[in-house]
Amino acid sequence: MKKAICLSALSLFLLGGRTVAQETKNAVININANEKVGDISPMFYGLMTEEINYSYDGGLYAELLRNRAFKDNDTKLDHWSLVQEGTSVGQIALDSVEQKGTALNRNLRLDIVSTDGKGRIGIANDGFWGIPVKANTKYTASFYAKTDADFKGTLTVAIESNDGKTVYVDAKVAKVNGDWRKYSVVLNTGKVEETTNARFIITTKQTGAIWFSLVSLFPPTYNNRPNGNRKDIMELLADMKPGFLRFPGGNYLQSKKLETRFDWKLTLGDISQRPTHDNNSWGYHSSDGMGIMEFLGWCEDLKMESILAVFDGLLLSRRSALSLDSLKPYVQDALDEIEFVNGDASTKWGAVRVKLGHPKPYNVKYIEVGNEDFFDRVGKTWDARYTLFYDAIKAKYPNINVISSAHVKTRMPDFEDIHDYFSYKKALGLAHKFDRYKRSDAKVFEGEWACREGVPTTNMLAALGDAAFLTGMERNADIVKMSCYAPLFVNVNPKAMQWKSDLIGYDAGSSYGSPSYYLQKTFSENIGDQSVKSSIENVPMAADTTEQLFYSVTKNSKSGTLFLKIVNVSDTTQSVNIEIKSDKTILPEGEEIVLTSDKVTDTNSITDPKKIVPVSGVAKGLGKHFTYSFKPHSVTVLRMGAKS
Ligand code: AHR
């Protein structure tokens, strides 16, 4: 980047047809590197997640079949169809034969009435907007089946094109007959042409009746976890180096009805033990493949702290919560949940976890009470409900941080979860929200925030708004301790999105980060452990008097490295004078990382995933007093090394 050398610049503008030279003053950022404002928490940047926009089913959770337990629709076999070739005749129907000892009480019944010996007959699943096929990849298919006395045959399991003409991979399952049994088969693709537009089928050429339940297909998962996550999306998350994961919601925690809340006890154990539930918060069924232990495994995989939200009686009707005197079982449920995640084998719920294959306690240190409890507009009992949960949790687990999801007065929460969704225009004002924040209030957890510009994922304008807001949080790290953007995920296929402007987009085959993703990744990779004293003068203003320049400064207290973040939202290059007071020498050469794009409406997508990414270069001419130029519509991080 070009370095400006003078304190002020001459700009030319037209006045009554004459060109006039006018002096404009550079903005000045004063940094006192010796004076700490606050400690930056290692959990400053984290992740927030819930089942929205097909975040897990059709997203992070690697299962490839949709409606695998036949529970998505009570009357129809959504996403399943009959395969019928030649003159073979058959039919499929939704049935409900119970399987003892499991939660599987729905099945697909296939009746093969007649076959011509050549034409296949069977069932097909179209996945979450297609089944992806990758070359040289191992897929694991499994299903439960029972047959009538007539069927004693072989089934062929395959992934093939929708017209059945190209078989990418297939394998036989012999001797399928008798009572309920689980069958598994491995499908190894070779050198196939990759696609996201395939179907999964199970076919035969023999007559009889077969009942299927829980039909599943998994590709390889991140860290090879059984029932695990998609590799590509986990890699994008790992690159962000998040400090924590907030789960399981969001609205997904609560839902519209008590019976459809996220009931953690119903998400334990093998997937055949999970009843699944209606995710009526976001309008589709949840397989509950992502259960409480999968969330915790995800935290282990990415070395994140868990922020576990517990249901506290507020339902999504958003008018009132369950009455205070009916909350006892839910307080107990929260205590059980904490015992499950943290208890040892001598405790009732700790022993359940041990039995499920995780002897070591997860050591969860953060519990959030509810979600957006202030939406309890009629009853307004959030203070009383928080108090109930807080007192019960602290009595048993005094060291656990208990987060409130509304502003409460009766107890001082360890953190208050505050949510901010805003437009680009609002972002510029919100950049100062925490400058004015009452320091005597609870420490802040920005548990959901986003500048909502761009669909389905955000654009460069959103990244500028995000950056302005984040600089405000970093500057006020004495009060803001944790932050996480929401929503994290969106499946980009039509009708998959319920909430626009999301961080990471994907289809069945690939995923990408939005400009907001790259912005956060850059910010979280370039942050010290302290925010330091700073001020700005001569802030450039737009005609409507909105500020055009935002900044934050943080310091690594061990090395002395300063991280100066500058957000130039104007459409002109801004020269800024940097004045640093420090007991160390600032090295003349450092690093600059710039995120920008030609148009603010530019974005990343499945077909152009890296159109907007941060670009690193050498920053020259640094010192205690220097001037630096910042591109129009850009976010720049200057990493400035220091020595004693
Ligand atoms: O992030 C989308 C939704 O916004 C969350 O589920 C809810 O907590 C908030 O209102």
Side-chain angles (χ1 to χ4, degrees):
M1 182 172 290
K2 232 172 73 199
K3 195 165 64 97
I5 31 147
C6 54
L7 196 88
S8 60
L10 282 180
S11 71
L12 298 175
F13 75 106
L14 274 174
L15 183 69
R18 282 180 309 127
T19 304
V20 177
Q22 191 207 7
E23 202 179 40
T24 55
K25 280 189 170 170
N26 286 356
V28 183
I29 294 177
N30 302 297
I31 301 167
N32 185 345
N34 301 330
E35 205 176 320
K36 173 174 104 173
V37 169
D39 288 318
I40 295 172
S41 157
M43 288 170 69
F44 195 88
Y45 286 104
L47 304 175
M48 187 270 166
T49 178
E50 67 175 315
E51 182 59 285
I52 183 174
N53 302 326
Y54 291 83
S55 285
Y56 313 141
D57 292 346
L60 182 70
Y61 179 54
E63 172 65 76
L64 295 176
L65 301 191
R66 189 155 174 193
N67 193 16
R68 68 181 179 188
F70 311 109
K71 295 194 183 177
D72 287 15
N73 190 316
D74 290 339
T75 55
K76 288 196 294 151
L77 280 166
D78 286 354
H79 302 286
W80 290 95
S81 57
L82 178 69
V83 176
Q84 191 169 243
E85 291 176 353
T87 56
S88 299
V89 177
Q91 62 194 38
I92 55 171
L94 185 61
D95 204 351
S96 48
V97 182
E98 220 171 291
Q99 269 171 263
K100 290 225 165 67
T102 74
L104 306 174
N105 53 7
R106 288 276 183 81
N107 3 84
L108 182 157
R109 176 180 172 151
L110 168 68
D111 280 289
I112 309 125
V113 180
S114 65
T115 64
D116 58 14
K118 284 192 223 131
R120 303 177 301 170
I121 196 141
I123 57 172
N125 186 280
D126 60 7
F128 293 90
W129 295 273
I131 304 276
V133 187
K134 299 225 187 305
N136 304 314
T137 301
K138 178 176 156 187
Y139 294 84
T140 307
S142 64
F143 55 89
Y144 290 77
K146 100 180 186 86
T147 72
D148 67 1
D150 287 349
F151 191 86
K152 293 190 183 66
T154 295
L155 295 175
T156 303
V157 175
I159 306 175
E160 62 175 35
S161 59
N162 287 319
D163 60 8
K165 287 187 179 148
T166 310
V167 176
Y168 298 103
V169 63
D170 63 1
K172 297 224 179 310
V173 184
K175 294 195 192 131
V176 178
N177 78 308
D179 207 356
W180 286 115
R181 235 181 86 193
K182 184 178 179 183
Y183 299 86
S184 295
V185 65
V186 167
L187 300 163
N188 278 310
T189 58
K191 224 175 125 195
V192 294
E193 198 173 315
E194 301 198 341
T195 179
T196 56
N197 198 18
R199 66 178 184 177
F200 170 83
I201 60 161
I202 306 178
T203 56
T204 183
K205 290 181 181 166
Q206 282 141 332
T207 55
I210 314 172
W211 287 259
F212 292 99
S213 80
L214 195 62
V215 189
S216 166
L217 178 68
F218 265 84
T221 58
Y222 190 79
N223 276 353
N224 294 319
R225 265 189 196 270
N227 198 38
N229 292 338
R230 241 173 90 159
K231 280 183 169 181
D232 58 331
I233 302 179
M234 283 295 274
E235 277 156 15
L236 279 171
L237 297 178
D239 286 350
M240 292 176 83
K241 303 195 178 57
F244 66 88
L245 178 72
R246 173 178 177 240
F247 63 91
N251 292 351
Y252 184 59
L253 172 73
Q254 304 153 315
S255 102
K256 290 182 183 155
K257 294 190 252 162
L258 187 58
E259 316 80 79
T260 53
R261 71 192 188 280
F262 182 86
D263 190 344
W264 67 275
K265 284 177 182 156
L266 301 181
T267 71
L268 299 179
D270 184 78
I271 54 175
S272 64
Q273 301 299 323
R274 305 184 191 183
T276 79
H277 80 279
D278 175 22
N279 172 17
N280 54 36
S281 311
W282 300 112
Y284 59 95
H285 203 80
S286 169
S287 73
D288 283 332
M290 185 68 81
I292 194 79
M293 285 180 79
E294 283 75 19
F295 283 113
L296 292 159
W298 176 4
C299 292
E300 286 182 329
D301 278 346
L302 299 189
K303 301 187 174 46
M304 303 180 281
E305 294 285 350
S306 304
I307 297 187
L308 171 61
V310 295
F311 176 75
D312 73 341
L314 180 63
L315 295 169
L316 260 194
S317 56
R318 301 205 143 167
R319 298 185 58 80
S320 65
L322 303 180
S323 67
L324 289 174
D325 54 15
S326 66
L327 285 180
K328 220 172 154 195
Y330 305 101
V331 173
Q332 186 55 50
D333 194 62
L335 294 176
D336 290 351
E337 193 169 5
I338 300 171
E339 188 173 283
F340 176 78
V341 298
N342 286 352
D344 62 31
S346 68
T347 63
K348 177 180 165 199
W349 283 100
V352 175
R353 187 200 66 244
V354 174
K355 206 166 161 211
L356 290 173
H358 202 284
K360 209 170 144 209
Y362 287 104
N363 192 18
V364 173
K365 304 181 197 88
Y366 301 84
I367 297 292
E368 179 159 1
V369 178
N371 174 60
E372 296 188 339
D373 261 6
F374 48 84
F375 272 116
D376 173 14
R377 294 253 153 91
V378 173
K380 297 190 175 23
T381 57
W382 57 79
D383 214 316
R385 282 183 291 111
Y386 179 75
T387 302
L388 263 180
F389 281 79
Y390 179 96
D391 288 355
I393 296 170
K394 288 280 185 187
K396 201 159 175 207
Y397 305 102
N399 294 330
I400 280 193
N401 294 281
V402 183
I403 301 170
S404 71
S405 65
H407 189 67
V408 294
K409 297 198 181 99
T410 318
R411 296 285 178 277
M412 175 59 114
D414 294 307
F415 299 89
E416 181 180 331
D417 181 357
I418 291 171
H419 294 175
D420 280 294
Y421 291 103
F422 42 84
S423 64
Y424 167 74
K425 275 211 137 180
K426 283 238 169 90
L428 307 188
L430 279 173
H432 294 291
K433 171 173 177 162
F434 295 108
D435 296 341
R436 300 183 286 264
Y437 208 80
K438 239 169 92 194
R439 264 45 193 174
S440 55
D441 276 349
K443 300 275 185 241
V444 172
F445 167 31
E446 262 287 344
E448 290 181 32
W449 68 270
C451 178
R452 300 184 68 198
E453 306 284 349
V455 180
T457 46
T458 62
N459 56 25
M460 185 62 207
L461 189 66
L464 290 170
D466 291 339
F469 186 63
L470 282 175
T471 54
M473 290 206 271
E474 286 195 358
R475 271 198 320 276
N476 292 284
D478 59 316
I479 185 86
V480 183
K481 292 295 166 192
M482 303 180 285
S483 71
C484 48
Y485 186 99
L488 180 62
F489 295 135
V490 65
N491 185 311
V492 299
N493 279 289
K495 302 221 173 104
M497 182 186 78
Q498 291 89 47
W499 187 280
K500 78 178 181 90
S501 306
D502 304 294
L503 199 69
I504 291 174
Y506 42 80
D507 65 6
S510 64
S511 51
Y512 67 93
S514 63
S516 299
Y517 164 87
Y518 284 105
L519 185 263
Q520 277 183 68
K521 179 175 170 318
T522 306
F523 270 33
S524 75
E525 280 168 348
N526 293 284
I527 190 161
D529 55 354
Q530 294 178 349
S531 60
V532 296
K533 185 114 194 235
S534 61
S535 63
I536 186 165
E537 296 160 38
N538 308 333
V539 180
M541 297 282 188
D544 64 358
T545 70
T546 46
E547 291 179 357
Q548 301 290 286
L549 201 75
F550 301 87
Y551 81 99
S552 68
V553 202
T554 63
K555 181 176 104 171
N556 180 313
S557 59
K558 274 204 194 108
S559 64
T561 300
L562 290 173
F563 303 89
L564 173 61
K565 291 166 180 150
I566 300 275
V567 189
N568 175 14
V569 301
S570 78
D571 53 12
T572 54
T573 297
Q574 296 288 340
S575 296
V576 179
N577 303 339
I578 317 290
E579 300 290 326
I580 303 175
K581 198 170 155 198
S582 174
D583 52 16
K584 292 192 169 185
T585 305
I586 306 296
L587 302 178
E589 248 184 44
E591 188 185 353
E592 63 158 33
I593 305 153
V594 183
L595 187 75
T596 187
S597 110
D598 292 345
K599 289 189 271 128
V600 290
T601 49
D602 284 346
T603 192
N604 297 337
S605 61
I606 292 282
T607 48
D608 200 353
K610 297 219 164 151
K611 188 180 173 80
I612 302 173
V613 290
V615 176
S616 299
V618 179
K620 290 193 174 151
L622 311 180
K624 287 194 174 155
H625 315 279
F626 66 99
T627 301
Y628 211 83
S629 297
F630 299 92
K631 286 185 178 163
H633 298 142
S634 70
V635 183
T636 303
V637 177
L638 284 182
R639 279 179 81 111
M640 300 183 277
K643 69 168 187 211
S644 302

